[in-house]
Amino acid sequence: MKRKNIWITGLLSLLVLFMSACGNSSTPAQDPNSTSSTTAEGTGQPKDGGNIIIAVHEDPRVLNPLYSNDRVTLTINQSLFAPLYTIEDGGEKKFVLAESLTPSEDFLTYTLKLREGLTWHDGQSLTADDIVYTMNSILDEKQNSSQRGSFVFNGKPLTVKKVDDRTVEFVLPQSSASFEAMLATLKPIPEHVFEGGTDLEKSGKNSNPIGSGPFKFKEYRPGEYVTLERFDNYFGGKAHLDSVTYRIAKDPNAANLALQNGELNMRKIDPADHNKLNGTGKFNMVIYPEGRLNYMVYNFNIDALKKKEVRQAIGYALDKNELIATAYGSSEFAEPGTSIFTPDTQYQSADHEQYNYNADKAKEMLKAAGAENLKLRLAYANSNKIQEAQALVIQQKLKEVSIEVELMPLDSTAYSNMSLDPNNTKFDLSFNGYIMGVEPDAYKSLYLSDAAYNYSHYKNADLDKLWDQAAVEMDTAKRAELYKQIQQTIADDMVVYPIAFDKAIIAVDKRYGGLDEARPKPVFMFEDLSKLYLN
Amino acid sequence: MQKYILRRVLQAIPLLWFISIVSFALIKLAPGDPVLSFVTPDMDAEAVERVRQSLGLDQPIYIQYWIWLKNVFMGNLGYSVSNHRPVLTLIVERLPATIGLMGSALLLSLIISIPLSMYAASRQNRPADRVLGLISYIGISIPSFWFGIMLIYLFAVKLNWLPSMGMRTIGVDSIWDIMKHGILPCTVLAFMNVSVYMRYIRSHTISQLEEDYVQIQYAYGATQGTVLRRHVLKNVLLPIITILGMSFPELIAGAFITESVFSWPGMGLLGINSVFSLDYPVIMGITMISSVMLVIGNLVADVLYGVVDPRIKTMG
């Protein structure tokens, strides 16, 4: 090849990389090094300025809180959109955009008062009109908001009206003990941005979201990152950091290397990666209860599992501590599951049979039930390392009581689909997990006889009544008793076998402080990133 | 020539139609329901059904296909089920990144593999040939994700020479920065390509070296280098054109695994996310564009055969 041709080839090569450079461009980005950040290490004093890069595993879906269901979108929206208030672990309200919520004596009307001087990221005032607009949009069936079910009671939606610029009234068709918790999930969207739009989900306005949280939208490069910048008029005080970038890191192994390399500053990691990353000395490991239950599901469509004693015997044959030690690597990363409610949920109780490991008892029960030498199929998602490890332990433990377990690793999508099929008989046992929050009423969608998410396909009309009673019982003591009965019934019927209450592990670059003030939070990693700062 | 191209284009239409039917059917037969990713425990059966209707998934599969086909003819590839953005926009956003990466890898692969494989062929069964053969076997055998992770570990974490992920440093808009980010994924792809191309070109070169015209050149006193450069290279161009033709769809579809490991924001990453979320309009969009590129690639290769070797008639 002539020299000239080699040059042409070289130039062509440069040209194609240049094409990459030219594509995908949106707004010009700011160099994080040019911020007012100070990097004096080890002072521990909050400093203003700087950026943090947080790893997320995929692109956000729709940056509109009416449609955020997935972990990534929820995480980004947490910084973009402020809630009216939050419910703390003890059940108390912590007001954010709202300054009060007052129920009427009959608990049918709730009056919400907004703080004074609230503004959206574009400078417009945030008023009662926005709250009414948001609620009506959620209730509008045509908008397909996933939150609608939270504000419809026995088929009847609540009504909302503006009293004055800062006051809104919610009128419920019936009293509901869960209403306050459900309203805490509402994050207002601006009426002046969306009004006139017919389909909020597909609206182009979602690509430049206007929120009311501590950070405002700056830039989104699909497949690369979303950057938010500090909102100086945030009512809760200016954030320390200039900006927050959510960087899409698809491969977990590569993401861990990028974390070590400093290209990422924060990432939710797997228990298996904890020791290795911790050993580098570069990270603070924030370990906290994620409010998630990891459990084994009994399939009630299977004849062999219809006898309660068989399900209970399987429970006695398993050892939670061994399951946790093997699957999580250490008891530091999970606690034994003691109830269908996670510890952060109101009225959680462990006052029922815990099915502690007792192989002899399991054998006796199986013999008495005439279920010796059972053969069961245990399904799990083949991409889930924890489930895979659990499956192997369960196979081994059940062999000790003469139950033969066939392992069924499945593609996660197919697995999810089969699990939700009400007539599923393709496997007998399976794994699942959920984060339902602090409100116990939310759990009924997993255990009501006709619930779409009733993975066990368990039907109990008496239990359904208890759930319904608890949902409208406004007396705290009576409500606690009802939920205690519910947890006892489900434990006694051995509908599911609670394995562990998971803990989340967040690796954060040691240069960042304010981790306690930012408050670790299930799903979002941290509740309030405005409190983070560079040391 | 124009008639030939027109005929090939017309022949491609039923082929693409057939591909679209098979692809659509395969996606629909795959286990899983895209609606589930929108369903929350709060939603009742009616709400789930409304979501299904809004996505057009309540219709029978042939109606869904018909609607999709009609929209395609109007230049509309539909909307992503996941984020409701137009599929065409999603693809156009990712194309430059993929063409840049795959194009660079392809060029680099050819620049490396042609001289190496010709050299190996000229040293057939000698140590140099065996070493290159071994390297080629290694390249074909090792998984690209493992090789990518090893490169990241060495060059990004240990030596700190190169960035480990993405296409740019946050907030930095420079071509040099993008090129730096492209070096590692480009190396992985090029190494994989070179390993395959070398075996292909080497075997073709060996067969050329046994031809009479080569022996005649040697008889006239030509050196091996001259014979390879001036005479054999021209004849080796045919398999190279075939490689190029077959690589056209990759230029557009990207490399699922490599883009995933390096979080390179191209079509491969879009494709893998779409597959996992059963985002069938995006999967169909990528499949159809790749198919069109394959047809175009083959057509261009066929035309180039005639240009490079006039003995091959493309008009017939």
Side-chain angles (χ1 to χ4, degrees):
Chain A
M1 191 179 284
K2 286 177 183 173
R3 222 167 247 218
K4 199 170 100 183
N5 292 350
I6 293 169
W7 277 107
I8 290 171
T9 312
L11 283 171
L12 274 171
S13 176
L14 281 172
L15 182 71
V16 283
L17 272 172
F18 179 72
M19 282 181 70
S20 311
C22 294
N24 235 1
S25 168
S26 54
T27 52
Q30 194 185 356
D31 183 346
N33 298 322
S34 70
T35 64
S36 55
S37 145
T38 51
T39 54
E41 282 188 59
T43 61
Q45 294 301 311
K47 298 270 173 62
D48 287 345
N51 181 33
I52 188 165
I53 304 174
I54 301 171
V56 291
H57 68 280
E58 62 182 4
D59 284 87
R61 292 190 170 181
V62 183
L63 288 175
N64 182 325
L66 269 58
Y67 304 100
S68 43
N69 301 324
D70 61 293
R71 196 181 273 264
V72 173
T73 313
L74 285 165
T75 302
I76 298 173
N77 279 346
Q78 176 69 10
S79 290
L80 273 173
F81 295 91
L84 297 169
Y85 56 87
T86 59
I87 302 280
E88 301 303 289
D89 286 355
E92 312 85 50
K93 288 187 281 294
K94 183 183 151 203
F95 288 100
V96 184
L97 292 176
E99 66 177 25
S100 68
L101 180 72
T102 314
S104 60
E105 277 185 18
D106 58 3
F107 293 100
L108 288 175
T109 303
Y110 286 79
T111 306
L112 181 100
K113 189 91 178 164
L114 290 171
R115 285 176 195 270
E116 211 169 342
L118 295 173
T119 57
W120 293 103
H121 292 158
D122 60 0
Q124 298 281 318
S125 295
L126 192 163
T127 67
D129 289 324
D130 295 305
I131 310 301
V132 172
Y133 176 77
T134 303
M135 182 56 86
N136 283 334
S137 298
I138 289 171
L139 293 172
D140 182 354
E141 290 185 351
K142 282 182 279 184
Q143 300 300 347
N144 285 323
S145 170
S146 54
Q147 289 183 297
R148 185 175 186 275
S150 305
F151 303 109
V152 175
F153 307 87
N154 271 339
K156 290 179 189 163
L158 59 76
T159 54
V160 56
K161 66 172 185 185
K162 173 184 171 181
V163 177
D164 60 43
D165 271 356
R166 287 177 51 212
T167 313
V168 180
E169 219 170 66
F170 300 96
V171 181
L172 277 58
Q174 63 178 60
S175 61
S176 165
S178 63
F179 173 69
E180 289 191 2
M182 294 305 175
L183 193 62
T185 63
L186 184 138
K187 290 180 174 172
I189 57 170
E191 183 183 21
H192 68 276
V193 171
F194 286 101
E195 69 181 328
T198 50
D199 189 341
L200 299 185
E201 194 170 18
K202 291 179 184 162
S203 170
K205 308 285 172 58
N206 295 325
S207 59
N208 185 19
I210 303 291
S212 55
F215 291 92
K216 60 183 180 181
F217 178 80
K218 182 181 178 188
E219 183 187 27
Y220 171 39
R221 286 187 190 264
E224 295 186 68
Y225 56 82
V226 178
T227 297
L228 314 180
E229 62 185 353
R230 185 176 57 219
F231 174 43
D232 287 340
N233 291 332
Y234 182 57
F235 74 91
K238 280 201 308 193
H240 293 299
L241 294 169
D242 287 335
S243 57
V244 176
T245 299
Y246 298 90
R247 182 150 203 172
I248 294 141
K250 182 76 185 167
D251 184 89
N253 296 313
N256 283 342
L257 291 175
L259 201 61
Q260 293 177 56
N261 197 31
E263 289 173 80
L264 297 171
N265 306 127
M266 184 196 292
R267 180 169 186 267
K268 181 175 185 287
I269 61 168
D270 290 334
D273 299 322
H274 172 270
N275 290 348
K276 194 176 174 187
L277 288 169
N278 200 30
T280 64
K282 292 180 179 176
F283 307 101
N284 283 314
M285 293 292 172
V286 182
I287 303 171
Y288 62 94
E290 207 186 14
R292 182 180 187 275
L293 174 69
N294 166 18
Y295 63 101
M296 186 175 76
V297 181
Y298 295 93
N299 185 351
F300 279 62
N301 291 338
I302 303 296
D303 286 340
L305 294 175
K306 282 188 171 147
K307 276 190 185 169
K308 181 165 82 173
E309 294 74 17
V310 174
R311 300 191 299 274
Q312 290 175 334
I314 291 172
Y316 283 119
L318 301 177
D319 184 345
K320 281 178 196 174
N321 292 322
E322 190 179 339
L323 276 166
I324 289 171
T326 308
Y328 294 83
S330 162
S331 57
E332 193 186 352
F333 307 131
E335 283 174 14
T338 54
S339 163
I340 58 159
F341 291 176
T342 52
D344 57 331
T345 304
Q346 291 179 67
Y347 314 119
Q348 193 234 20
S349 157
D351 194 10
H352 47 252
E353 179 58 42
Q354 289 298 323
Y355 301 96
N356 293 324
Y357 176 56
N358 188 337
D360 293 337
K361 188 170 183 179
K363 281 180 198 166
E364 281 169 25
M365 288 179 80
L366 287 169
K367 194 175 176 184
E372 290 166 292
N373 302 315
L374 268 181
K375 285 186 181 174
L376 297 173
R377 298 158 298 173
L378 170 58
Y380 59 94
N382 57 11
S383 55
N384 190 317
K385 288 179 196 169
I386 288 179
Q387 289 190 358
E388 187 180 32
Q390 286 174 172
L392 290 167
V393 175
I394 287 175
Q395 186 183 43
Q396 183 202 338
K397 295 306 278 187
L398 293 187
K399 197 176 177 184
E400 289 174 11
V401 294
S402 303
I403 297 176
E404 192 182 317
V405 175
E406 179 196 342
L407 301 184
M408 283 181 65
L410 295 167
D411 163 71
S412 57
T413 313
Y415 177 52
S416 165
N417 221 35
M418 285 182 199
S419 301
L420 287 169
D421 177 2
N423 303 312
N424 174 38
T425 52
K426 288 181 179 146
F427 46 77
D428 313 313
L429 304 168
S430 58
F431 296 126
N432 225 310
Y434 51 65
I435 299 177
M436 301 306 292
V438 297
E439 171 52 48
D441 187 54
Y443 286 76
K444 71 181 179 194
S445 55
L446 293 146
Y447 295 102
L448 281 177
S449 298
D450 59 351
Y453 278 75
N454 179 350
Y455 290 108
S456 295
H457 316 300
Y458 162 72
K459 296 186 191 315
N460 182 339
D462 293 336
L463 185 74
D464 293 350
K465 281 180 195 160
L466 285 177
W467 282 112
D468 289 341
Q469 282 174 36
V472 295
E473 179 54 67
M474 306 308 291
D475 182 281
T476 312
K478 286 181 187 167
R479 200 170 182 231
E481 184 55 37
L482 285 167
Y483 281 121
K484 188 177 168 186
Q485 279 182 49
I486 286 170
Q487 291 169 84
Q488 277 174 344
T489 306
I490 290 174
D492 186 47
D493 280 352
M494 202 55 166
V495 181
V496 297
Y497 176 77
I499 296 172
F501 296 131
D502 292 355
K503 289 185 182 175
I505 312 168
I506 312 293
V508 188
D509 190 319
K510 273 195 169 158
R511 292 178 303 143
Y512 292 88
L515 303 180
D516 290 339
E517 295 86 343
R519 304 185 359 132
K521 186 91 174 169
V523 182
F524 316 128
M525 291 191 262
F526 286 95
E527 185 180 65
D528 186 0
L529 291 181
S530 72
K531 302 289 188 284
L532 288 187
Y533 55 85
L534 263 168
N535 279 318
Chain B
M1 176 71 90
Q2 283 172 339
K3 272 187 185 170
Y4 172 75
I5 293 171
L6 184 67
R7 203 180 72 216
R8 287 288 302 272
V9 169
L10 290 175
Q11 281 171 351
I13 291 172
L15 175 67
L16 290 171
W17 180 58
F18 178 72
I19 291 171
S20 74
I21 291 176
V22 173
S23 307
F24 202 88
L26 282 176
I27 293 166
K28 291 291 173 183
L29 289 173
D33 182 356
V35 173
L36 292 182
S37 59
F38 295 90
V39 175
T40 62
D42 291 337
M43 294 167 80
D44 56 21
E46 275 179 34
V48 174
E49 205 44 42
R50 278 198 299 274
V51 172
R52 196 179 296 283
Q53 279 173 17
S54 77
L55 297 171
L57 297 172
D58 57 325
Q59 302 288 338
I61 181 169
Y62 62 91
I63 302 272
Q64 288 183 42
Y65 175 74
W66 175 242
I67 292 169
W68 176 85
L69 194 64
K70 263 198 317 188
N71 287 335
V72 168
F73 276 111
M74 289 187 283
N76 175 7
L77 290 177
Y79 287 83
S80 159
V81 167
S82 292
N83 61 23
H84 305 293
R85 298 180 66 214
V87 172
L88 200 58
T89 307
L90 291 173
I91 289 175
V92 168
E93 277 172 357
R94 308 290 183 118
L95 266 182
T98 286
I99 293 175
L101 178 65
M102 302 304 286
S104 307
L106 184 62
L107 274 176
L108 191 63
S109 311
L110 291 174
I111 290 167
I112 295 170
S113 60
I114 293 170
L116 277 185
S117 37
M118 290 180 78
Y119 177 72
S122 70
R123 297 280 184 277
Q124 192 185 355
N125 295 330
R126 291 191 205 166
D129 181 35
R130 289 185 195 282
V131 168
L132 287 170
L134 180 69
I135 293 170
S136 170
Y137 272 122
I138 291 171
I140 292 168
S141 310
I142 60 170
S144 57
F145 71 87
W146 180 85
F147 186 45
I149 292 285
M150 289 299 112
L151 288 185
I152 292 172
Y153 183 71
L154 180 64
F155 291 101
V157 179
K158 285 289 160 194
L159 299 172
N160 208 16
W161 288 353
L162 294 166
S164 69
M165 62 174 294
M167 198 172 83
R168 73 190 92 220
T169 308
I170 307 291
V172 176
D173 266 330
S174 81
I175 293 170
W176 171 235
D177 183 59
I178 290 173
M179 289 177 81
K180 264 201 318 189
H181 280 80
I183 290 172
L184 291 183
C186 189
T187 305
V188 171
L189 291 168
F191 185 51
M192 302 289 158
N193 287 345
V194 166
S195 304
V196 177
Y197 296 176
M198 263 175 58
R199 304 201 60 72
Y200 200 53
I201 300 171
R202 176 187 168 274
S203 70
H204 204 79
T205 308
I206 287 170
S207 68
Q208 288 299 315
L209 287 171
E210 288 163 1
E211 293 287 327
D212 290 345
Y213 75 89
V214 173
Q215 302 306 320
I216 290 167
Q217 289 300 323
Y218 281 134
Y220 277 117
T223 62
Q224 192 179 51
T226 312
V227 171
L228 285 172
R229 277 199 310 275
R230 291 201 183 154
H231 305 284
V232 176
L233 180 61
K234 281 182 193 166
N235 288 293
V236 173
L237 278 179
L238 287 180
I240 294 171
I241 289 169
T242 309
I243 290 172
L244 281 172
M246 299 296 283
S247 302
F248 253 61
E250 286 174 20
L251 271 177
I252 300 300
F256 277 34
I257 294 172
T258 307
E259 288 189 12
S260 178
V261 168
F262 289 94
S263 297
W264 187 263
M267 296 282 283
L269 199 56
L270 178 68
I272 206 162
N273 287 334
S274 308
V275 169
F276 281 124
S277 57
L278 291 173
D279 197 341
Y280 79 94
V282 180
I283 301 171
M284 283 301 290
I286 295 174
T287 308
M288 291 319 294
I289 286 178
S290 305
S291 306
V292 169
M293 291 309 292
L294 185 64
V295 169
I296 292 173
N298 281 334
L299 177 59
V300 170
D302 286 350
V303 171
L304 282 178
Y305 286 152
V307 174
V308 171
D309 187 347
R311 291 171 297 178
I312 300 172
K313 299 283 182 195
T314 53
M315 318 299 175

